[in-house]
Amino acid sequence: MEPRNIALRLSYTGTAYHGWQVQKNAVSVAETVEKALASVVCHPVRLTGAGRTDAGVHAQVYVANFRTASGIPAERLPLAVNTRLPDDISVSKATEVPDSFNAIGSCRKKEYTYKIYNSRIRDPFYVNRVWFYPKLLDETVMAEAARQFVGVHDFAAVRSVGTETRTTVRTVHYFEIERRGDIIDCRVCADGFLYNMVRAMVGTCIYAAEGKLEAADIPAILSSRNRTLAGPTAPPDGLYMTNLWYDEDVL
């Protein structure tokens, strides 16, 4: 049988994993899913994921694809794989896609949501799921800072040294900050993200709320390409991949 290209929609909490990407000396989400898939399709599997998520980062929506010569119908794969996966990873959909489909290369836009628990009293049910931030934050000031990042910019000032990229220019379609009770949601959508870019953008918005910089300073910070002028990198626990856009019906 000719190999088929299968796209998986999955979700996971990343607390127990050293990110999505397969690592030599640490447990990753990709390796865990690859082993489960291999036991279903009876051959080694190599997954291509929608992007690298760091250690401790979560995904409510994630897409990966792999090739298989197995004849198992795609719609039967989620249940078969989930019986072999730990409780913190779940495959919700499998779709046969064109051979040209690639989970990262075919992705047009991505959305991440960063969650801050802004209360003086911590909530044990949110451990490893949010950034617990006890100092009161003004979400309107944060939202004004967030708006400065929207558009086409060089985002070198809000990335950590890590994966090398051809260019640090990206297009941010929206960066919205909204409070619901004690939770502040920071939702950002772009055509792509640099290493730690979302977490550094959130840290910069928090610096604005604390009066350590003005929202009006952010365009100059971006122009400087100087990482030390922006805010700190927020911890990984509060970061979720929450939406992806493809031309194919894989979600």
Side-chain angles (χ1 to χ4, degrees), residues 7-12 20 48-53 58-65 101-113 173-174 188-193 240-251:
L8 302 177
R9 173 187 165 147
L10 55 151
S11 52
Y12 55 85
W20 165 264
T48 299
R52 298 171 72 100
T53 58
H58 317 292
Q60 290 176 340
V61 176
Y62 195 89
V63 170
N65 70 293
F101 178 88
N102 175 295
I104 190 164
S106 302
C107 187
R108 293 189 290 108
K109 294 188 294 185
K110 298 174 184 173
E111 180 194 80
Y112 282 94
T113 302
H173 299 291
Y174 56 80
V188 56
C189 172
D191 59 353
F193 291 93
Y240 295 74
M241 184 177 274
T242 45
N243 209 346
L244 297 162
W245 283 262
Y246 292 94
D247 292 329
E248 294 80 8
D249 180 23
V250 295
L251 294 171

Side-chain angles (χ1 to χ4, degrees), residues 128-140:
N128 298 323
R129 301 285 188 277
V130 295
W131 185 10
F132 169 53
Y133 202 89
K135 189 174 175 182
L136 183 65
L137 293 168
D138 185 337
E139 68 277 7
T140 57

